Amino acid sequence: MEDGGKDARESAPGGRDAGTLTEEQAERMLAGMNDVIRAGEEMRKLRSEMIKLFVGFGWTQDRIARLTDMSQPAVSKQVTKYRSADPEPPMDLSLGQWDAPWLEGRLWGLAEDIFDMYADSARCARCVAALTRGRKRFTPENVDELRRLVEDDLRRYGEELSTHRAAYDEIGRGLDLPPRRTAAPAGSPSVRRTLAHRIQRDRLRDDA
């Protein structure tokens, strides 16, 4: 009986026990789950940092709770923590800033607007979706990929995206230049990307 069981295991594909799970199989199975979990943790952290920004603006707890869809006690706890900490310098919300996270956020907002306009054919669509859902990070490689895809869309749609082309040229020049040696801007990279993304999209709508 024991020998027969051994023979059955050894006859399984790849010489492995058909009743076991390999590490490679587990890694592939969990990869998508881990991305979702990681994205959830990052979004919770980002929301907390955004609340800190809202506190700095002097917004009320009621207003913050409504915008974040959080309970009053949860918001009150965070507001108390941030108000008791040393105040940070106010954030500059002007579009023309030159640190990498801000420029990456502008690029993301620009690409997302192109995706909204040409959902069925935009080359940048899949990359935008992956960044938005947390499946991709803002690494230099992924930012370069997004730039190539946006450039392709700008060539394909020409005059229809003249405003986007002007914004992209400014963003591209900023990303291509060496980092300016200035004091670190206020806000974490994730907060700065998020703000620049929103402000860039709003500017494109205003200029449309």
Side-chain angles (χ1 to χ4, degrees):
M1 293 292 291
E2 292 178 359
D3 290 340
K6 181 179 180 181
D7 291 341
R9 288 193 298 271
E10 290 180 348
S11 66
R16 290 189 293 268
D17 188 339
T20 65
L21 188 70
T22 68
E23 184 175 339
E24 290 79 10
Q25 288 173 314
E27 182 178 7
R28 289 194 295 270
M29 181 179 66
L30 291 170
M33 299 180 200
N34 289 337
D35 280 345
V36 173
I37 293 168
R38 190 179 303 113
E41 292 173 347
E42 290 177 355
M43 287 300 102
R44 283 190 291 272
K45 181 180 179 182
L46 176 59
R47 184 175 65 177
S48 178
E49 292 174 338
M50 294 301 293
I51 290 173
K52 185 177 182 180
L53 176 69
F54 300 153
V55 170
F57 290 159
W59 290 6
T60 65
Q61 292 186 28
D62 286 345
R63 188 179 187 185
I64 295 172
R66 176 171 51 82
L67 290 171
T68 58
D69 196 25
M70 293 173 64
S71 68
Q72 283 282 354
V75 170
S76 178
K77 183 177 179 180
Q78 293 206 43
V79 168
T80 300
K81 177 177 68 175
Y82 293 136
R83 281 183 176 163
S84 63
D86 292 335
E88 294 185 353
M91 285 195 65
D92 180 1
L93 300 181
S94 60
L95 195 62
Q97 301 183 63
W98 307 107
D99 57 292
W102 191 266
L103 292 165
E104 291 164 0
R106 289 188 62 188
L107 177 65
W108 174 23
L110 177 69
E112 192 172 76
D113 204 66
I114 293 173
F115 168 55
D116 283 351
M117 295 172 68
Y118 305 100
D120 296 331
S121 57
R123 290 293 308 278
C124 66
R126 293 181 66 180
C127 189
V128 167
L131 289 168
T132 300
R133 295 172 185 172
R135 294 177 185 167
K136 283 191 174 186
R137 308 290 180 266
F138 282 90
T139 64
E141 294 77 15
N142 288 338
V143 171
D144 285 345
E145 177 190 3
L146 184 59
R147 289 185 66 179
R148 289 194 299 271
L149 295 170
V150 167
E151 288 170 359
D152 192 6
D153 284 328
L154 291 172
R155 284 192 295 269
R156 292 171 72 198
Y157 298 111
E159 289 301 315
E160 297 177 29
L161 295 177
S162 57
T163 301
H164 296 71
R165 164 58 73 181
Y168 176 78
D169 288 346
E170 184 177 77
I171 294 165
R173 285 194 298 271
L175 289 170
D176 289 337
L177 291 173
R180 299 184 181 184
R181 294 185 177 180
T182 59
S188 69
S190 59
V191 166
R192 294 188 63 74
R193 284 191 197 97
T194 301
L195 289 171
H197 163 270
R198 183 68 266 163
I199 294 170
Q200 179 64 74
R201 293 215 60 181
D202 290 345
R203 178 65 60 84
L204 288 168
R205 291 180 182 181
D206 292 343
D207 293 344

